[in-house]
Amino acid sequence: MESLPHIDNTPESEREWHQALINLARYLRSPEGCPWDQKQTALSFARYHVEEGREYVEALEHGDAAHAREECGDALFTLLASVAAAEAEGLFTFESVLQCAHEKMVRRHDHVFGETRATTPEEAIEAWNQAKARERRPRED
């Protein structure tokens, strides 16, 4: 069997582990990968992600850290697998998802990164809701 860098080399950092996991999701969808994964779509993986998310919540609710870690990993992987499928389907790229999420979280945390600061959780929620409402207003040119 040929060497597979995404499984044969143990990552040494969080960044490398993250890259290894997205590479694995992409590889499983490749012609050399898994027939089941190849047949999945962004939508089908997203549905699995919802189920894995529920299992993660249940593990947290039960206070079982080891099980929560496992279920969090499952939820993360199914989300990355959905992204890999979306890339293959031409919907979007992983990089565009990361950029969009980063921009949105900075924008929605105007109470952290903007002029006005929230000092309580309630103020933070109010600021978040205001930012969200501004995004939903029709744009006036």
Side-chain angles (χ1 to χ4, degrees):
M1 182 168 129
E2 76 179 71
S3 176
L4 301 172
H6 50 278
I7 62 171
D8 289 343
N9 297 327
T10 302
E12 296 183 13
S13 70
E14 182 177 285
R15 179 182 295 226
E16 289 175 1
W17 274 111
H18 190 254
Q19 189 62 53
L21 200 57
I22 188 66
N23 288 348
L24 179 59
R26 288 171 176 150
Y27 181 79
L28 289 172
R29 294 189 44 75
S30 76
E32 299 80 27
C34 173
W36 183 87
D37 286 85
Q38 293 164 358
K39 295 291 184 193
Q40 300 310 304
T41 65
L43 179 58
S44 65
F45 275 125
R47 288 182 175 136
Y48 287 113
H49 174 70
V50 170
E51 179 57 32
E52 295 298 345
R54 283 189 197 112
E55 292 175 9
Y56 175 48
V57 169
E58 289 172 10
L60 288 170
E61 288 173 341
H62 288 98
D64 186 340
H67 189 218
R69 181 184 64 209
E70 178 184 347
E71 294 302 339
C72 184
D74 291 349
L76 178 59
F77 187 78
T78 54
L79 185 58
L80 292 176
S82 182
V83 171
E87 286 178 327
E89 294 165 27
L91 299 175
F92 48 77
T93 65
F94 187 49
E95 183 177 353
S96 73
V97 168
L98 294 172
Q99 180 182 352
C100 182
H102 187 275
E103 290 171 356
K104 184 176 189 177
M105 290 304 107
V106 169
R107 197 172 56 246
R108 293 271 178 97
H109 284 87
D110 188 49
H111 57 282
V112 174
F113 302 110
E115 298 287 323
T116 306
R117 295 282 186 246
T119 58
T120 66
E122 294 78 17
E123 289 175 356
I125 290 169
E126 179 58 30
W128 175 279
N129 288 334
Q130 288 174 4
K132 191 172 180 179
R134 283 191 300 274
E135 291 173 10
R136 292 192 172 167
R137 282 190 207 129
R139 296 179 192 251
E140 297 176 16
D141 293 321

